[in-house]
Amino acid sequence: MTFQPPAPLLPPQRILMGPGPSDVPASVLQAMARPIVGHLDPFFLRVMDESRDMLREVLGTTNTLTFPMSGTGSAGMETCIVNLVEPGDRVLVAVHGVFGGRMAEVARRAGAEVVTSESSWGRAVDVDALRAAAGGEAFDLVCVVHAETSTGVLQPLAPLRALADDLGALLVVDAVTSLAGVAINLDEQGVDAVYSGTQKCLSCPPGLAPVSFSPRAVERLERRKTPVQSWYLDLSLIARYWGGERAYHHTAPIQMIYALHESLRLVLTEGLAARQARHERVGAALCAGLQALGLKPLVPPEERLPMLTTVAVPDGVDEAAVRRKLLTTLNLEIGGGLGPMKGRAWRIGTMGSSATIANVLLCLEGLRAALSLGASDAAAAALAAYAE
Amino acid sequence: MTFQPPAPLLPPQRILMGPGPSDVPASVLQAMARPIVGHLDPFFLRVMDESRDMLREVLGTTNTLTFPMSGTGSAGMETCIVNLVEPGDRVLVAVHGVFGGRMAEVARRAGAEVVTSESSWGRAVDVDALRAAAGGEAFDLVCVVHAETSTGVLQPLAPLRALADDLGALLVVDAVTSLAGVAINLDEQGVDAVYSGTQKCLSCPPGLAPVSFSPRAVERLERRKTPVQSWYLDLSLIARYWGGERAYHHTAPIQMIYALHESLRLVLTEGLAARQARHERVGAALCAGLQALGLKPLVPPEERLPMLTTVAVPDGVDEAAVRRKLLTTLNLEIGGGLGPMKGRAWRIGTMGSSATIANVLLCLEGLRAALSLGASDAAAAALAAYAE
C-alpha cells in the first residue's frame, strides 16, 4: 500500500494573544519566502552584519559578541549557561517562576554548584532573601529572568547588578519576553550575558535566540580551562562565523535570519521608545478592561509586565473551555497558566504586532461572552487607559 | 544620532550547487509565509503528526521517537550523542571526513571515552581497521557518517551494523546529506539512532534536524542514571511534546515546521524511489561531464555520492576565484573543499530541487568558461549518462 501524503497546509488566521508566539507582520512572513542563498554568500554575509548591528541597537549595547543562536529561546538560555559555566562553578539563581527554575536546572546539568532562592510567584524577586541565600560567599554567576513569562512580572535589574557586584559575579539575564517591549539597555544596566527569543515582542517567528556577551563575559569565555560541553552552542566557534573570519561552523538558518532582519527593521523603523510606549499603553488598557469585567490581574500594578498579563480564573470556571471557545469562535488565542498556575490563571499576551487596542477590545468582548458576564464598561475603561 | 535601519532584503536568485543548502521549491518558501499559529494550536498539532508520519516514511521506519529537533543538522548530531552517552561510556567513531571528526569531538565533550579510526578521506571506511581499533572490547555506540559531505563518499551501513553487533553497541548514523537522496531504510538496516538536516536532499531551508531512535535506543535512554547534559536537546522531555501528552518544552519553530511539512509532501509526491533515481542519474551526468572536461572526481565510482561530487582543482588554479566567477556571472554557487581539502577540491551538490540536468549543463559550461578550457563534448557526455 502506497503512503498517501497529506494535503498542503492552509493554516487558520489566528490572533495570537498567548505568551508567544505573537502575530507576525506580513513583511516578515514574506521575507522568509524570498530566495534562499548559501550561508557564505556575500549577500548573506551582509544580512548577518546588518542583523547584528540592528540587534545591538535594540539591546542597547556595543558588545562585539552579539548574534542570534540557531535555536529557540531555551537554546539561548543554554548557550549563556554552558559557555560561562565550568564544572564546580558557583551559580546563584533567582527563581520566581518557571523560567528561573529552568535556568537553575540548565546550570546543574552544566556541572555548576547551584544555589537558588525562590520568591513568591507573581511578585518581583526578593533580593534580600537572594542575598541571604548567597551566604556572603563568592559566586561566578547571578541569573535572573527580566520578564517572567509564567507569571507576568517585570524584574528591575539594578538591585541584581548590585548584588552580583558584591558577590564578584557576572549578571546573566533572560530577556526572552522583554526584548523590544520594555527597555533593556544592556550596557547601561551592566548586564554581562543576555539571551532572548524572536517570537515575543520582536514579532518574528520562533526559531532564533539572540545572545549578547559583555567584554567581561567574553574574557571569562577565553579563560576557560575546559571545553564548552555543547559543541553546537560553543560561542568561541560560532563567533568565528559571525566575525570577520567567516569560518564554517554549522549551516545558518538562512530564512529565519531573513525574518529576524525584517522584524528588527520594523522595530527600529517604529522606534524602540515608541514601541515600548505602545506596549505600555496597550498593557494598561488590557488591565483596566479586565478589572472592569471583574477579573483580577495577579501581579501588583508596579511590577506588571506590559506585554504579558496574568489574570485569575474565576472560581468554578473551566479555563481550558474558555480558551477553546475564544479560539473556535474568534480565532483568538490566549494562554493558560504554567506550572503551579495551571488551571488557575490565564496569560494574555500583547506582544509586538499583537499589541493593539483593537486586539484588547476583542479579547475583552470575547472573555465577557465566554464567561457569560453581563453588559460592562470594559471597552470604555480600556480605551480610557489607552488614551492616557 | 538616530540609527538608520537598512533597506528591506532583496536576495539574488541563486542556483545552489554547493554542499547545502540546496534550492528550495516555491511551495516550500510559500509555506513559511502562511499565517503563524500557536505551538499548542489544534491545527499545529495536526501539522506535527502529519510531519512525523511523513518523516517515518522517508526514513523507512516505524520508530515512535521520530521528529525534527529545533536546530540545524549539527544539533541533530549533538542530540543523538548526548542522549545516548553517559560519562565514561565507550564510543567508537569511524572518521573519514570532517563530520566523523565532529562526532568524535561531540562525544568527547559529552564525557565519553572515544576511540576513533581514521580512514582515507575520499574513500569508504576501512572496517577492518575500525574493528582493529576496537581491540575486541565492548562499546556502547558505533558512529558513522552515511554520506560524508566533506569528501563525497557513500558509506555502506551493513558492515558497520555487523561490527556494532559484535561489539554489543548501538549504531548511530549521520544521514544529513543522504536522506531522501539515497536509500536509508532505517529499520531494514538496523540503525539505532539517526539524525539529518533539512537543507540537503529534502530541499527545505536549514533550521531543523530530523532524528529517529529505535526501540533499543529508547530503552537505553530510559535506563540512564544521569540527566542528559543538554536540557534543550533532552529527548525524554521533547518526546512529551511530540507525543500524546503535548507537554510544553520549548516553543516549536512553527514556520520551519510548515516548510518541512511541505518539503516532505513534495518528496513523497515525487516518490522516494523516483527521487533517489533522479539523484543517481543527475550525479552520473555531472561526473561524466566533469571527466569530459578533463576534471577528476576524487572518489572512485563505486563509492561516490550521487548528490555531492568532489572534484580536484587543477594545478595552478585559484579555486576561490573560479567560485566567485560562477557566482557573479551565473548566480551559480558551488562549494570549496573543507578541512584538508581546502583549496584542493570543489564540492558540487546536486541535492533535492538542485538535482536537474539543466543545472548540470550550466555548471559544466560555467566551469569550462571559468577555467578557459577549449571546446568540449562535456554536455553530450552528461546527457548520455543522464539518459542511461
Side-chain angles (χ1 to χ4, degrees), chain B residues 308-386:
Chain B
L308 186 75
T309 302
T310 47
V311 58
V313 175
D315 287 340
V317 168
D318 175 353
E319 73 83 17
V322 170
R323 287 191 287 123
R324 264 195 308 275
K325 193 156 186 186
L326 293 176
L327 195 71
T328 50
T329 59
L330 297 175
N331 267 317
L332 175 64
E333 177 180 275
I334 68 169
L338 205 57
M341 289 181 165
K342 195 176 161 133
R344 296 173 36 217
W346 288 301
R347 291 183 298 157
I348 306 178
T350 43
M351 300 177 181
S353 291
S354 297
T356 68
I357 184 68
N359 281 353
V360 166
L361 298 182
L362 179 72
C363 180
L364 292 171
E365 198 50 39
L367 282 171
R368 200 185 59 74
L371 293 168
S372 308
L373 303 174
S376 83
D377 55 0
L383 283 164
Y386 182 70

Side-chain angles (χ1 to χ4, degrees), chain A residues 88-106:
Chain A
D89 282 356
R90 288 168 56 76
V91 175
L92 182 66
V93 185
V95 178
H96 64 310
V98 166
F99 295 92
R102 185 175 293 185
M103 283 176 105
E105 175 63 16
V106 170

Side-chain angles (χ1 to χ4, degrees), chain A residues 68-88:
Chain A
M69 298 296 291
S70 304
T72 68
S74 297
M77 178 190 288
E78 195 152 309
T79 299
C80 289
I81 299 289
V82 301
N83 279 277
L84 293 174
V85 165
E86 296 192 78

Side-chain angles (χ1 to χ4, degrees), chain A residues 36-45 241 254, chain B residues 14 16 20-21 333:
Chain A
I36 189 169
V37 298
H39 56 283
L40 293 170
D41 194 295
F43 174 81
F44 189 67
L45 302 183
Y241 173 55
I254 311 291
Chain B
R14 305 294 198 203
L16 297 182
E333 177 180 275

Side-chain angles (χ1 to χ4, degrees), chain A residues 243-273:
Chain A
E245 208 176 334
R246 304 299 185 185
Y248 164 67
H249 176 262
H250 65 271
T251 304
I254 311 291
Q255 255 62 16
M256 281 302 310
I257 291 176
Y258 287 176
L260 176 64
H261 184 281
E262 178 62 13
S263 70
L264 290 168
R265 245 179 45 74
L266 295 184
V267 168
L268 291 166
T269 302
E270 177 175 8
L272 205 48

Side-chain angles (χ1 to χ4, degrees), chain A residues 11-235:
Chain A
Q13 184 76 56
R14 305 294 198 204
I15 296 162
L16 297 182
M17 297 182 75
S22 58
D23 290 337
V24 177
S27 74
V28 175
L29 292 174
Q30 285 306 323
M32 303 188 87
R34 299 246 184 264
I36 189 169
V37 298
H39 56 283
L40 293 170
D41 194 295
F43 174 81
F44 189 67
L45 302 183
R46 183 162 68 75
V47 176
M48 291 166 70
D49 287 346
E50 290 180 357
S51 301
R52 197 181 39 193
D53 289 348
M54 289 192 283
L55 207 44
R56 285 189 187 129
E57 186 70 16
V58 172
L59 285 163
T61 187
T62 59
N63 288 340
T64 303
L65 199 165
T66 302
F67 45 73
M69 298 296 291
S70 304
T72 68
S74 297
M77 178 190 288
E78 195 152 309
T79 299
C80 289
I81 299 289
V82 301
N83 279 277
L84 293 174
V85 165
E86 296 192 78
D89 282 356
R90 288 168 56 76
V91 175
L92 182 66
V93 185
V95 178
H96 64 310
V98 166
F99 295 92
R102 185 175 293 185
M103 283 176 105
E105 175 63 16
V106 170
R108 273 182 220 109
R109 292 185 186 212
E113 199 181 304
V114 177
V115 175
T116 61
S117 165
E118 186 154 341
S119 306
S120 301
W121 287 38
R123 297 300 310 270
V125 170
D126 180 339
V127 180
D128 291 337
L130 185 63
R131 184 181 291 274
E137 293 180 48
F139 276 83
D140 297 289
L141 306 181
V142 169
C143 301
V144 71
V145 178
H146 191 211
E148 244 303 346
T149 325
S150 63
T151 64
V153 167
L154 176 65
Q155 176 58 45
L157 296 177
L160 277 297
R161 177 66 269 173
L163 176 59
D165 283 340
D166 294 346
L167 303 176
L170 298 183
L171 179 61
V172 179
V173 172
D174 174 324
V176 170
T177 291
S178 55
L179 186 63
V182 295
I184 170 96
N185 298 325
L186 284 201
D187 291 356
E188 208 178 297
Q189 301 252 25
V191 174
D192 291 301
V194 72
Y195 59 89
S196 189
T198 45
Q199 77 276 18
K200 311 280 187 176
C201 297
L202 292 176
S203 272
C204 177
L208 293 176
V211 299
S212 184
F213 274 42
S214 75
R216 287 201 300 181
V218 171
E219 205 178 288
R220 189 177 168 85
L221 263 184
E222 288 168 352
R223 277 203 321 262
R224 287 184 68 99
K225 293 187 186 70
T226 57
V228 173
Q229 71 179 26
S230 169
W231 186 91
Y232 186 61
L233 304 177
D234 186 336
L235 290 174

